[in-house]
Amino acid sequence: MTGKRLTIGFAVLSSFLVTAFAQDSRPARQRIEYPQARQTEDVNQLGSLTIPDPYRWMEDLDSPELADWVAAENKITNAFLEQVPAREAIRQRLTHLWDFERYGVPSQRDGRYFFAKNDGLQNQSVFYWMDGLDGTPRVLLDPNTLSPDGTIAVAGMAVSHDGQELAYGLSTAGSDWVTYRVRNVASGADRPDVLEWIKFSGVSWTKDNAGFYYSRFDQPEGNVLEAVNYYNKLFYHRLGTPQSEDRLVYERPDEKEWSFGPHVTDDGRYLIISISRGTDPRNRVYYQDLQAADAPIVPLLNDFDAQYNFIDNDGPVFWFTTNLDAPRNRVVAIDTRRPQREHWKEVIPQAEETLQGVNIVHDTFIASYLKDAHAQVRMFDLTGRLLRELELPGIGSAYGFGGKRSDTETFYAFTSFAVPTTIYRYDMLTQTSSVFRRPQVDFNPADYQTQQIFYTSKDGTRVPMFIAHRKGIALNGDNPTYLYGYGGFNVSLTPAFSVSRIVLMEMGAVVAVANLRGGGEYGQEWHDAGRLHNKQNVFDDFIAAAEWLIANKYTRPQKLAIAGGSNGGLLVGACMTQRPELFGAALPAVGVMDMLRFDKFTIGWAWTSDYGSPENPDDLKYLLTYSPLHNIRPGICYPPTLATTADHDDRVMPAHTFKFIAALQAAQQSAPDCDNPILVRIETKAGHGGGKPTSKIIEEVTDQWAFLARVLGMRTSQAID
């Protein structure tokens, strides 16, 4: 850029539902008359670039004009979906299959066991406790009693070391803002303690059970769903005292982007403070000796040069997983008396597989790995000697493995595409697993098959993809196919059971999940290959997955739907604007669509570690190449689209979706002979997705699958009775 001012134009169902598909089976549609969205003269002035932003007014979530537009859009979407004959059958099948008992992984504190359970259609899971494994489960916390529509959800909890008290956080209507309270386990009564303005923070109890550490923000000014969140602070709360008396433990007024994650070691000796900066996985680690009066907070790892996750300690020796000099992670021991790097000891070296996490139970490292995006679990002694590999039920995902060094048992969950999440108890003494809770779902897993394939992306990179479907499908290029991806923030997509995807497969669809670069499936190098100025690799990987499915006769463009949420919504938005002819439907959910203003709201500034900053001229030029909002072109026939968002999403503000859909509808109107619907579904009293009630999930998935049934040409010949 030379300083010359430039202007970039803005134009820049199983037995109940039998399905059949034909080349010309998609029903005729009439062009939709969309609500008129006012365009203004607002612009983004970024350096020498003047970039129109005609829908800026949609960022005012309190605007009556926006409320009218939202209502009109929802009305059009509902009218379209009401014309789908299978919609009610899909809802009934989803509701029927969803009605099964689901359990969370238990934890144990001083002989008391704590776990979550959902009877099936409860909007929120209920939390139970029992004395001993053979004890009678008793309700500890039932969020369903807190609101008539299930929109108050538990967003964090921690039990004191003696198992007597529960600190729990509540989120309302899907907001990331959490209010913490404390409940006595035996009596079920809440203490008077109320802690507010907490976001993205857990709590960590002290060994004496007298209180806990947590971090929070100051109360924001203006609309709390829009205000930017800076200046996190670390506090200690003593039970029975008001929040105003909480002791400030640490803050950095000179570093507004720093956030603090507290953890008290199991021996009660140290407070570990993990310091993060946005979503960058690299962090710092400080600590404080809690047994020494007026002990200082000591910087231990102070360079933001790598990721360090505290595992446990043996007195002054701390164990960490880290990707320093090991992009797939390793375990090191750091003696705080000699913390210099030349004194570090490598305990578990980097392996070919990606190390995801490590716990210590019964003086044993339990290490969870990913091998080509599915789980492996290995156990090591404290010197790093391999003891055994845990035999898992198959190719899938395994998680849990919590506990303390003295425990003789741990619990874990296993799930896969056709295996509902099952909870296991592992006996560390006998080295055996036994089923703790196994759900019963009204479908036959033997009717389905899952395979993992590897395809080649645009630049030659080998990318894995899981493909699941009913057995016996014909590879004739005519199967409706649902391709899902994420590709960012070091997040790994692993096999997991999903009622919604089972129903989609019952409708005859192929489900494909691509493990794109930008995720964490192969460690930090895989993440780095899909972030910042490498972000286009993610879109290329997704497009290559679509092309592989077409070339291998699973489907064809008119039958291929793409889907993703949040960063995955950005993925869908970028790919459908880059290759609109490649897809038959698009389902972007709560997506980041305006890459020039994502950093202006709530926690959006934190994403610059993956996206770069619009304030940086080099980053800006790159962001403009793929920003979904800024790559919509008039006259192009974009694929049928159903975007979803929610009015209380304070992570990815719904204005991203509002602006994207308004611009897409305006551009689509000028496309000749294009009747593809561009619709948006805007949920109320919901947020980014966390804590969403079961009833709202079923309604949303019903509408998404009904949309696909219509636009992909799924014909129903038999409906549920």
Side-chain angles (χ1 to χ4, degrees), residues 344-380:
W344 293 10
K345 293 183 179 179
E346 182 175 81
V347 181
I348 302 176
Q350 176 178 248
E352 289 298 318
E353 299 78 17
T354 302
L355 180 61
Q356 294 282 287
V358 180
N359 294 320
I360 294 183
V361 181
H362 193 57
D363 283 331
T364 302
F365 287 115
I366 304 179
S368 297
Y369 290 88
L370 280 185
K371 177 180 176 58
D372 294 328
H374 59 84
Q376 286 189 336
V377 179
R378 296 171 186 158
M379 299 187 185
F380 302 83

Side-chain angles (χ1 to χ4, degrees), residues 462-595:
R462 184 171 180 262
V463 182
M465 177 165 59
F466 293 102
I467 303 175
H469 51 78
R470 290 180 67 94
K471 291 180 178 177
I473 66 166
L475 295 182
N476 57 8
D478 208 35
N479 301 295
T481 298
Y482 174 87
L483 174 60
Y484 183 85
Y486 187 80
F489 297 96
N490 207 34
V491 172
S492 302
L493 295 186
T494 60
F497 181 77
S498 164
V499 165
S500 60
R501 293 179 186 177
I502 291 294
V503 171
L504 195 59
M505 288 189 284
E506 287 181 340
M507 294 168 63
V510 173
V511 171
V513 178
N515 298 108
L516 315 173
R517 281 175 285 184
E521 289 87 348
Y522 294 105
Q524 190 56 48
E525 292 175 339
W526 195 251
H527 177 208
D528 288 341
R531 69 185 185 104
L532 299 175
H533 293 197
N534 292 323
K535 190 66 177 175
Q536 183 60 42
N537 287 337
V538 184
F539 313 137
D540 290 342
D541 289 355
F542 203 51
I543 290 168
E547 292 174 334
W548 188 94
L549 290 165
I550 294 166
N552 286 271
K553 303 299 184 181
Y554 281 89
T555 192
R556 53 189 169 89
Q558 295 86 347
K559 296 285 189 179
L560 176 59
I562 53 173
S566 193
N567 175 75
L570 162 63
L571 169 71
V572 173
C575 290
M576 66 179 283
T577 52
Q578 292 183 14
R579 292 290 303 277
E581 81 291 347
L582 189 59
F583 312 111
L587 297 176
V590 293
V592 186
M593 301 301 195
D594 184 350
M595 301 309 295

Side-chain angles (χ1 to χ4, degrees), residues 20 38 95 103 105 124 126 156 209 274 292 298 316 341 430 498 509 524 531 542 556 558 562 572 604 653 665 667:
R38 177 172 58 93
T95 302
Y103 293 87
V105 178
Q124 304 291 340
V126 179
N209 309 297
S274 177
V298 180
R341 291 190 181 182
T430 63
S498 164
Q524 190 56 48
R531 69 185 185 104
F542 203 51
R556 53 189 169 89
Q558 295 86 347
I562 53 173
V572 173
M653 200 173 75
Q665 288 176 347

Side-chain angles (χ1 to χ4, degrees), residues 13 16-18 84-96 503 506-507 702 706 716 718-721:
L13 270 175
F16 83 95
L17 183 59
V18 177
V84 181
R87 187 185 188 191
E88 183 56 31
I90 294 170
R91 177 186 290 108
Q92 290 183 29
R93 183 59 175 165
L94 283 167
T95 302
H96 176 72
V503 171
E506 287 181 340
M507 294 168 63
T702 294
T716 61
Q718 179 180 347
I720 193 169
D721 292 333

Side-chain angles (χ1 to χ4, degrees), residues 26 93 165 220 265 272 275 310 355 403 432 549 566 577 581 595-596 616 695 713:
R26 287 180 295 166
R93 183 59 175 165
E165 307 290 342
T265 57
I272 309 297
I275 302 173
F310 179 81
L355 180 61
T432 57
L549 290 165
S566 193
T577 52
E581 81 291 347
M595 301 309 295
L596 304 192
N616 180 307
S695 58

Side-chain angles (χ1 to χ4, degrees), residues 254-509:
D254 58 325
E255 296 288 355
K256 68 179 183 179
E257 296 182 352
W258 286 18
S259 294
F260 309 104
H263 175 79
V264 178
T265 57
D266 284 344
D267 62 6
R269 175 70 184 269
Y270 299 100
L271 170 66
I272 309 297
I273 305 172
S274 177
I275 302 173
S276 58
R277 186 173 53 192
T279 54
D280 191 331
R282 295 172 297 180
N283 63 315
R284 301 185 181 206
V285 177
Y286 295 177
Y287 72 94
Q288 184 180 38
D289 187 341
L290 299 180
Q291 293 184 5
D294 300 320
I297 291 176
V298 180
L300 178 64
L301 301 162
N302 202 27
D303 295 322
F304 278 132
D305 59 343
Q307 184 174 23
Y308 302 93
N309 293 317
F310 179 81
I311 303 171
D312 206 335
N313 67 299
D314 189 6
V317 177
F318 294 177
W319 289 296
F320 292 93
T321 58
T322 182
N323 59 9
L324 181 70
D325 301 324
R328 294 184 302 280
N329 300 317
R330 59 181 176 140
V331 175
V332 298
I334 302 176
D335 190 328
T336 57
R337 297 164 299 188
R338 297 195 303 165
Q340 297 80 11
R341 291 190 181 182
E342 59 266 27
H343 300 303
W344 293 10
K345 293 183 179 179
E346 182 175 81
V347 181
I348 302 176
Q350 176 178 248
E352 289 298 318
E353 299 78 17
T354 302
L355 180 61
Q356 294 282 287
V358 180
N359 294 320
I360 294 183
V361 181
H362 193 57
D363 283 331
T364 302
F365 287 115
I366 304 179
S368 297
Y369 290 88
L370 280 185
K371 177 180 176 58
D372 294 328
H374 59 84
Q376 286 189 336
V377 179
R378 296 171 186 158
M379 299 187 185
F380 302 83
D381 68 18
L382 296 186
T383 69
R385 180 174 63 91
L386 177 64
L387 300 175
R388 70 194 70 93
E389 182 169 325
L390 177 64
E391 183 177 352
L392 295 172
I395 293 177
S397 303
Y399 57 90
F401 304 104
K404 300 181 182 295
R405 287 182 64 180
S406 58
D407 290 347
T408 59
E409 65 180 357
T410 187
F411 294 86
Y412 67 94
F414 178 83
T415 183
S416 191
F417 288 110
V419 178
T421 303
T422 302
I423 309 301
Y424 292 86
R425 175 182 178 269
Y426 185 80
D427 189 316
M428 300 294 295
L429 299 177
T430 63
Q431 303 169 19
T432 57
S433 293
S434 58
V435 173
F436 177 71
R437 297 289 188 271
R438 186 192 303 277
Q440 300 298 321
V441 186
D442 188 17
F443 87 111
N444 184 7
D447 292 341
Y448 302 88
Q449 67 182 61
T450 300
Q451 62 176 319
Q452 185 180 44
I453 64 92
F454 294 84
Y455 65 92
T456 302
S457 190
K458 182 178 180 179
D459 64 355
T461 298
R462 184 171 180 262
V463 182
M465 177 165 59
F466 293 102
I467 303 175
H469 51 78
R470 290 180 67 94
K471 291 180 178 177
I473 66 166
L475 295 182
N476 57 8
D478 208 35
N479 301 295
T481 298
Y482 174 87
L483 174 60
Y484 183 85
Y486 187 80
F489 297 96
N490 207 34
V491 172
S492 302
L493 295 186
T494 60
F497 181 77
S498 164
V499 165
S500 60
R501 293 179 186 177
I502 291 294
V503 171
L504 195 59
M505 288 189 284
E506 287 181 340
M507 294 168 63

